[in-house]
Amino acid sequence: MNGWTGEEGHERREAVRALLHTPVLRREGRHRRLVDQARRHEKELRAWFDRQLGWPLVVERDLIRLLKIPEDPGRFPDLTVPTPRQCALYCLLLAVLADCGGQTVISELADRVTALTTAHRGLRRFEATSTRERRDLVAALRRLTEGGVLRSPREAGVTADSEQAYVAGHGNAVYDVNHRLASSAVVCPVPPSQADAPDTLLRFTEGDPGLWARTDTELRQALMRRLVDDPVVYVEDLPSDQQEYLSVHREELAAELVLGLDTRVEVRAEGLAIVDSRFSDTDFPAASAVSVAALALADLLAGEAVPEQTGSFVVGHDRLSELVDLVAEQIRRVVPNIERKPVDGSVVLRYSVPVLMQFGLVDPHDDGVLVRPALARYRDPSGRGARVTGEALLLFGQDLDMTPRRSKPHTAHLSPAEGHPDAIAD
């Protein structure tokens, strides 16, 4: 890493950050400059990803592909996660695309998927006459489009209308096929052709992957994969071998991240966290009724910690019910509805807790919710909590503009002054 200085070092770090955020960079469109940079520094980038993360980097003339395999898949819930059926159709579409030409339409893909699922008894048959099935197929197609496997030769609005017409049973849509991307769209430790069943795709070796002995290199890569994928990595969440490695190499890992990503890393007794407002790929629902409720609940949950307490703690169901009722009372005058539902404790609970879970601030627990240390970043510095003055809501001492906006919300990592857990609590 000593050679990562000056303009060359800046270009390499920019390429690393871009690939961690968007594993597929295509030369067409807005990623042209980044693709050219990655090609110029191909040798150094390959070496960095191989040493630090153990992820292969595919570099082609018009395409850069980082073969990411998360260390802990599904650690944080995604509110937009596809259904199991959509995931199955996504994989089936990839299978049938291998026999398609450079351009195809939905009806052709549907026929091929139907034929494939009919021929294999172990597969649930695709029913093209079902509206739900057609809707799920379109959802899978849109994810393939987002990943660059498919591209519409028409305007986006025209394609969306055609897809909706197909769902309704009287339309079609045309796509160009990128066969190179289709062949590498699914990345997993065990190649699909060698897996006995879907649950073995993520199995590095026999038995529990958290229990087998790993080399120092594998332990470092496992920890680095967690750090670049998760908002916060807690020591208490790690397998024992990773805990032991982290206790010895904590500062070294943080230094590697700082040099490779041009970012700031906070190191605490509870774990590590990357502090970078531009590094997250998850948006917090800022300036919305949901965000106000989530932030207000986070402040109250953080206040449940026992003085001098470290680590996670549980807030029971009864106390959680009291807190969401209090949040509803605090915000109701300015935020009368959440998702078109009148604000009350049950509505606050339904919509705010999933947001806090998505960002790793709380986890589900049999007795209520498990509050994580990073939630302390949501504490109101004044200690007064959410309050209403006149017609404006003051949350953590700042006026929140509740005017509906169409622009993209702020990224997940807000500054500590705004109450976001972009680092572990002091």
Side-chain angles (χ1 to χ4, degrees):
M1 293 297 296
N2 292 333
W4 285 43
T5 58
E7 183 61 27
E8 286 192 346
H10 172 74
E11 288 189 354
R12 292 169 190 171
R13 286 188 289 270
E14 190 177 23
V16 168
R17 290 165 63 94
L19 285 163
L20 290 174
H21 186 282
T22 308
V24 178
L25 300 178
R26 299 186 297 277
R27 199 168 187 274
E28 60 188 40
R30 61 190 178 92
H31 291 147
R32 175 184 294 270
R33 179 179 61 85
L34 289 168
V35 169
D36 290 342
Q37 284 182 198
R39 293 187 64 208
R40 282 197 299 272
H41 302 287
E42 175 182 350
K43 180 180 178 181
E44 294 79 7
L45 293 177
R46 283 183 185 274
W48 192 88
F49 282 113
D50 180 64
R51 169 176 166 73
Q52 303 300 342
L53 299 167
W55 288 339
L57 183 67
V58 177
V59 179
E60 299 181 354
R61 184 174 66 87
D62 296 319
L63 174 72
I64 312 294
R65 174 77 160 100
L66 178 63
L67 303 181
K68 288 184 62 175
I69 301 174
E71 176 64 20
D72 190 11
R75 165 65 181 83
F76 296 101
D78 184 347
L79 301 184
T80 62
V81 68
T83 66
R85 183 55 172 166
Q86 291 169 2
C87 291
L89 290 173
Y90 180 95
C91 294
L92 290 168
L93 285 167
L94 287 172
V96 301
L97 282 172
D99 296 323
C100 290
Q103 194 172 78
T104 186
V105 293
I106 296 183
S107 57
E108 177 189 4
L109 293 172
D111 289 344
R112 289 180 179 272
V113 170
T114 300
L116 179 63
T117 54
T118 302
H120 293 270
R121 294 181 179 179
L123 298 176
R124 172 181 158 188
R125 189 175 187 275
F126 176 72
E127 300 290 347
T129 58
S130 166
T131 301
R132 175 175 293 182
E133 288 276 79
R134 293 196 299 270
R135 184 181 295 114
D136 285 339
L137 185 71
V138 167
L141 287 169
R142 287 177 175 173
R143 288 191 174 270
L144 288 170
T145 302
E146 292 170 4
V149 174
L150 300 177
R151 185 178 68 86
S152 174
R154 302 173 180 174
E155 294 183 1
V158 174
T159 299
D161 290 342
S162 298
E163 291 170 341
Q164 286 300 111
Y166 170 78
V167 172
H170 54 74
N172 218 333
V174 62
Y175 307 95
D176 293 331
V177 183
N178 186 324
H179 288 284
R180 182 68 187 88
L181 270 181
S183 65
S184 62
V186 176
V187 183
C188 47
V190 179
S193 60
Q194 299 177 20
D196 297 328
D199 62 339
T200 64
L201 290 171
L202 298 179
R203 190 171 299 167
F204 287 85
T205 187
E206 294 299 324
D208 186 342
L211 298 178
W212 78 77
R214 288 182 172 184
T215 65
D216 282 355
T217 297
E218 291 170 334
L219 287 170
R220 184 183 67 253
Q221 291 173 345
L223 286 166
M224 291 287 276
R225 286 193 290 265
R226 289 178 184 271
L227 285 164
V228 299
D229 269 347
D230 295 346
V232 177
V233 172
Y234 297 107
V235 174
E236 64 186 18
D237 290 343
L238 300 175
S240 59
D241 55 353
Q242 293 183 30
Q243 289 185 18
E244 294 174 6
Y245 186 90
L246 183 61
S247 67
V248 177
H249 301 279
R250 191 185 307 246
E251 298 295 337
E252 176 188 336
L253 293 176
E256 293 284 4
L257 288 169
V258 170
L259 288 172
L261 302 178
D262 188 24
T263 190
R264 184 163 67 93
V265 179
E266 286 203 2
V267 180
R268 294 287 185 267
E270 301 96 335
L272 293 88
I274 291 178
V275 185
D276 193 325
S277 62
R278 296 166 297 177
F279 195 69
S280 175
D281 60 357
T282 305
D283 290 332
F284 191 86
S288 70
V290 173
S291 68
V292 170
L295 286 167
L297 179 58
D299 179 47
L300 295 181
L301 287 171
E304 294 295 296
V306 176
E308 307 303 324
Q309 180 177 8
T310 60
S312 305
F313 61 92
V314 175
V315 173
H317 290 295
D318 291 343
R319 181 55 178 162
L320 180 61
S321 179
E322 294 174 359
L323 294 179
V324 294
D325 286 340
L326 181 56
V327 169
E329 181 181 342
Q330 289 177 337
I331 69 175
R332 188 178 292 121
R333 283 179 53 190
V334 177
V335 185
N337 299 287
I338 297 179
E339 298 296 325
R340 299 181 180 179
K341 297 177 177 61
V343 169
D344 59 21
S346 64
V347 170
V348 170
L349 180 68
R350 176 180 177 183
Y351 290 100
S352 61
V353 171
V355 172
L356 301 182
M357 289 175 57
Q358 185 180 19
F359 288 94
L361 303 175
V362 303
D363 280 336
H365 191 277
D366 290 343
D367 297 326
V369 293
L370 182 69
V371 178
R372 312 311 303 269
L375 192 77
R377 283 284 173 165
Y378 274 105
R379 289 175 302 190
D380 168 28
S382 71
R384 290 177 292 174
R387 55 216 178 267
V388 175
T389 302
E391 296 181 355
L393 176 68
L394 288 172
L395 190 62
F396 305 164
Q398 297 182 8
D399 283 296
L400 292 187
D401 179 10
M402 295 305 298
T403 304
R405 298 179 181 178
R406 293 187 178 182
S407 60
K408 186 177 180 180
H410 301 299
T411 52
H413 295 292
L414 304 179
S415 66
E418 292 174 295
H420 197 277
D422 51 4
I424 297 177
D426 295 323

